[in-house]
Amino acid sequence: MAQIFSSDRACLLYFADEEAAAQRLASAAGLTALAMERHRFPDGELKLRLPVDASGRLPPHAVLLRSLHQPNEKLVELLLAARTARGLGVQHLTLVAPYLAYMRQDIAFHPGEVVSQQVVGGFLAGLFDAVITVDPHLHRIDRLEQAVAVPQAMVLSGAEPLADLIAERRPNALLVGPDGESAQWIAQAAARHGFDHAVCTKVRHGDRDVAMELPTLNAQGRAVVLLDDMASTGRTLALAAQLLRQAGAASVDVAVTHALFAGDALQALHDAGVGEVWSTDCIPHPSNAVEMAKPLAVALRTVLAA
Ligand code: R5P
């Protein structure tokens, strides 16, 4: 893709662990990718160095790529990098966080509980002019700006590219969402390819403890694909798979936007009878089957052109 801006007008900043994703995005967006150096002191503190030019400056437009799985230390990186970038000449700073952390804790269920979505959202809004992300977990709010109040907030979805993959691999799939929140992604995917579809009812009792009821559906002999925004412990999808297998599904595969897969999540899925697991590359994982660089680049061009 042609350069959006020359490298003295804009750049894409990244850390070494996301080099592959940064190069894909830079190439799709026509930006120059520049690595930030990161040193961890023996006591755990971080020292960063930003890739300034010969005069010690950064371009006026900078894009920082950081997918926020395992987010805690990354939030400190963002604080250090964003504040420093401003002092080095950056006037417009965009965060591309293909996975945006802390969006699920969006209400205080008990007195004194931290509503992380508001706190982390406010923190990011204080650092960035624009945020681009994919399927943030917005349950009780409709728009990303309500959580991250930046002038430019853009949300992409993995549902349609995952639907294209499902249509290719399981053309007659019965698409099932494991809970009410997944209804939005199921609707998008079904509208694109006309899949039969249904959504389960879930109640969460603890991190690894969920209860679920299947909707009225005939899964007998069907190739079922479970679609959701994320798998963390995998217990939600594992229980759905187990129930669908008991209901006679011929196969159950899984497609998720965000492959968090904490601990033994993948094993739990396979133990429950799941065959294939597909994900987008918002979080690097062996299950990645869909690249998001092109849609992210389109969003980035819109943000930078505004
Ligand atoms: C919640 O509604 C999300 O969409 C996922 O269903 C949930 O986060 C999955 O969590 P786990 O894999 O730990 O069951």
Side-chain angles (χ1 to χ4, degrees):
M1 199 177 268
Q3 292 283 116
I4 311 182
F5 290 110
S6 60
S7 55
D8 59 341
R9 296 283 300 147
C11 66
L12 174 71
L13 302 171
Y14 67 94
F15 290 100
D17 61 302
E18 288 187 287
E19 173 154 23
Q23 295 298 350
R24 287 196 295 272
L25 179 57
S27 148
L31 283 170
T32 303
L34 301 173
M36 292 178 283
E37 288 176 26
R38 179 185 190 278
H39 173 74
R40 187 207 293 267
F41 290 108
D43 60 10
E45 291 181 10
L46 295 173
K47 180 179 73 173
L48 307 182
R49 185 174 175 203
L50 302 195
V52 289
D53 64 14
S55 61
R57 306 289 288 169
L58 285 169
H61 293 263
V63 178
L64 203 160
L65 172 69
R66 205 63 177 134
S67 202
L68 292 172
H69 51 292
Q70 302 292 326
N72 296 348
E73 194 166 279
K74 291 178 183 169
L75 294 176
V76 176
E77 290 172 355
L78 294 185
L79 172 67
L80 298 171
R83 290 263 185 260
T84 305
R86 299 286 186 188
L88 295 172
V90 172
Q91 292 157 21
H92 187 277
L93 188 55
T94 301
L95 172 67
V96 175
Y99 175 65
L100 189 57
Y102 283 112
M103 291 295 112
R104 279 171 291 176
Q105 189 67 38
D106 61 355
I107 192 171
F109 290 99
H110 304 100
E113 222 165 59
V114 173
V115 182
S116 312
Q117 185 190 76
Q118 285 173 6
V119 176
V120 173
F123 169 77
L124 295 175
L127 297 177
F128 296 94
D129 302 295
V131 171
I132 299 172
T133 190
V134 184
D135 290 334
H137 194 88
L138 306 181
H139 178 199
R140 274 166 268 263
I141 56 173
D142 301 324
R143 289 175 301 108
L144 180 61
E145 304 89 290
Q146 295 168 270
V148 188
V150 281
Q152 294 163 288
M154 287 195 71
V155 171
L156 311 183
S157 179
E160 292 194 347
L162 285 169
D164 294 347
L165 181 89
I166 295 166
E168 214 180 280
R169 309 274 174 98
R170 302 285 184 269
N172 298 311
L174 166 60
L175 210 56
V176 176
D179 53 28
E181 291 139 45
S182 64
Q184 54 188 302
W185 300 293
I186 295 291
Q188 280 178 48
R192 193 164 170 95
H193 288 287
F195 297 119
D196 294 341
H197 59 282
V199 172
C200 305
T201 310
K202 177 179 90 176
V203 179
R204 184 176 286 283
H205 299 295
D207 289 343
R208 290 179 168 71
D209 183 9
V210 293
M212 191 175 290
E213 268 183 37
L214 287 185
T216 311
L217 51 71
N218 184 3
Q220 191 65 42
R222 298 294 305 264
V224 175
V225 178
L226 286 164
L227 176 68
D228 204 359
D229 60 337
M230 68 180 79
S232 175
T233 68
R235 271 25 183 210
T236 295
L237 293 170
L239 181 54
Q242 192 188 327
L243 295 175
L244 287 158
R245 284 295 208 173
Q246 286 164 4
S251 63
V252 180
D253 303 300
V254 156
V256 289
T257 302
H258 301 300
L260 289 165
F261 295 121
D264 64 354
L266 273 182
Q267 191 56 51
L269 290 185
H270 293 308
D271 291 349
V274 168
E276 302 286 328
V277 178
W278 303 300
S279 63
T280 74
D281 63 355
C282 289
I283 296 175
H285 187 267
S287 62
N288 290 171
V290 167
E291 283 191 8
M292 293 301 292
K294 281 189 188 151
L296 286 170
V298 171
L300 204 41
R301 293 173 77 88
T302 308
V303 160
L304 293 179

